[in-house]
Structures are given as structure tokens and as C-alpha cells.
Amino acid sequence: SEVNNTDTGVFIGASSTDYDRLLEQSALESAAHYSTGASAALLANRISYFFDWHGPSLTLDTACSSSLVAVHQAIKALRAGECQRAVVGGVNLILHPASSIAYGEAGMLAPDGCCKTFDARANGYVRSEGAVVLLLAPLSVAIANNNRIHALLTGSATNHGGMAAGVTVPNPEQQARLLQAAWRDAGIQPRALSYIETHCTGTALGDPIEIQGIKQAFADDGISSEKLCGLGAVKTQLGHLEAAAGIVGLLKTVLCL
């Protein structure tokens, strides 16, 4: 194949450990292949091995931002010339009830199993599973190869909220800074933005904080509160894919375009 033995990078976002739990509960004796079969690192490395790719090969775990951080790292690697193209993905599988029970006990899940983002009745998120994989390449390379181009990613950014109200609670000020860094990296004027795909999961705590951060980002860049910008959240259709949630939202936005 023309893609084999190339400098293609692989960047996969994943954070579930459910398969490890199943192995621990099984009555099977430990075997040599258990370590490679359950290794998070090999989510990316096995793909690189199979296709004989030589670019960076990373599995990233930053919880629910894992797949978008994977996209960010892939963009950086492409810009730096570390790879010719990049396969970027996110995956979430629910194979064991332990995490669902814990999240339910913490009050994070919607008792009725319905995601109600942007709704006064919002009372928790809905877990779901799936996988998304995208192929990224520099625009000049895609044009030279006569690839069908679905969208152009012009910029990205990443940060951390620091000491917020809790380790799982977003920080509106840092979310505002993140948005500003992203559109500056992309060379985009914020007043030209007409749509934002949010992370909003349908929780009474996180969603208002995220919206506050978006409004603050516009305001800090001198954009009037009268600015109209559409907001969306794919979780109302598909649920929250956790480690894969970000790239699902990216794919939705590409399909909308």
C-alpha cells in the first residue's frame, strides 16, 4: 500500500480501564499477551506497527479532553514536520459497571438517561461509547495528493484550569483564555465566528461555567454582548463519549460544514 512505510503519525485519545477490570475478574491465569493486550500505549503503537508507520505514535489520556488533545498534538507534529500525515482518533468502550456506578454516586449522571444540554432541567450526563478516527495532513500535501478535503483546521490550543472549585470543575477564566489562544493561533477574528461546538454535557454545574467562559472570551476581546454565535452540543444526540467526546464534536462540525 502507498501508505505503508511512511512517516505517518498516530495520536489516540483514550482513558477507559474497563478491559483491565474484566481481566482481573476473569478466572484465567495470567499469560504473556495480557500485558500487550491491555496496554494503553499499544492502542496507538499497534496501529503504527501494523501499517509500518514511523511518525510519532501516542496514546493520550487527559480524561474527557483526550481526543481533542490528540488533535492538538497531531497538528503540532505536522507543523513541525515530524510526520507527513496523522491518524487521529478517540475511543470509549463501556465494558464494566464500576465507573458508571461511581459517576452515578457522585451525582454526575442523568437519572432519566436523557442529556438535556442548554436546558433548565439539565441534571447530568449520559455515558455512551464509540470511536472516531480522522486523517490529517498539511493542506499542500492534501492538494498534491488529490485528497478530498472535508475541512481545514487552522488552529488549536490547550491549557489547564488550574485550581478551580474542584479537580473536575471547569475554570471559566482559563476556558476564555483557551478560546482566545485558539482563534489567535488560527488567525481568526472572533467577531467572524458564527458557530461553536461546545463540550456541554448536560450538567447543572459544568454547562453554565462553559457558557460563561465563552461569553468572557468574546468580551475580553472587545466583542459586544450583542454578538450572535450559534452553540451546539452533539451529546444531546449521541451522549458523552468521554475520552472520544471531543473528536466526535469535531466530526459533527465537519459534517455540518
Side-chain angles (χ1 to χ4, degrees):
S1 170
E2 64 179 19
V3 300
N4 287 61
N5 192 28
T6 61
D7 289 331
T8 299
V10 179
F11 303 81
I12 304 294
S15 62
S16 173
T17 59
D18 284 10
Y19 190 62
D20 282 336
R21 293 180 183 273
L22 292 180
L23 283 176
E24 291 173 0
Q25 288 184 349
S26 72
L28 299 174
E29 295 184 5
S30 295
H33 64 275
Y34 276 23
S35 59
T36 55
S39 169
L42 287 186
L43 277 175
N45 293 173
R46 196 181 293 277
I47 297 171
S48 299
Y49 170 82
F50 182 84
F51 289 104
D52 192 22
W53 289 339
H54 311 302
S57 191
L58 310 174
T59 302
L60 299 105
D61 180 3
T62 60
C64 299
S65 63
S66 297
S67 59
L68 280 188
V69 173
V71 171
H72 175 70
Q73 293 299 325
I75 290 173
K76 289 178 62 178
L78 289 167
R79 285 177 171 177
E82 295 176 353
C83 49
Q84 300 171 347
R85 59 179 63 84
V87 170
V88 188
V91 59
N92 189 53
L93 293 177
I94 302 172
L95 306 175
H96 193 279
S99 293
S100 295
I101 294 171
Y103 299 159
E105 291 293 328
M108 298 165 64
L109 302 183
D112 59 0
C114 293
C115 176
K116 297 176 283 294
T117 300
F118 310 133
D119 194 310
R121 299 169 300 160
N123 60 351
Y125 80 85
V126 181
R127 301 191 75 201
S128 60
E129 56 183 5
V132 169
V133 177
L134 304 178
L135 177 63
L136 307 185
L139 181 60
S140 58
V141 173
I143 293 174
N145 291 336
N146 292 316
N147 297 142
R148 182 179 179 186
I149 301 169
H150 296 274
L152 182 62
L153 304 183
T154 55
S156 67
T158 185
N159 74 356
H160 191 278
M163 186 175 290
V167 70
T168 64
V169 180
N171 183 330
E173 293 183 1
Q174 296 309 316
Q175 290 210 350
R177 288 187 60 223
L178 179 65
L179 284 170
Q180 293 165 349
W183 60 54
R184 288 168 188 165
D185 182 60
I188 294 171
Q189 293 297 321
R191 66 180 66 254
L193 293 174
S194 59
Y195 177 77
I196 293 177
E197 174 67 17
T198 70
H199 176 70
C200 291
T201 60
T203 63
L205 174 64
D207 290 10
I209 293 177
E210 182 175 354
I211 300 303
Q212 180 184 345
I214 293 172
K215 293 169 67 175
Q216 184 173 333
F218 281 110
D220 289 349
D221 270 9
I223 309 300
S224 166
S225 60
E226 298 176 356
K227 156 72 177 173
L228 297 179
C229 182
L231 302 179
V234 71
K235 295 175 183 67
T236 55
Q237 283 80 42
L238 300 180
H240 188 358
L241 272 79
E242 297 169 354
I247 201 166
V248 171
L250 174 57
L251 175 59
K252 170 203 163 176
T253 307
V254 172
L255 290 174
C256 288
L257 293 174

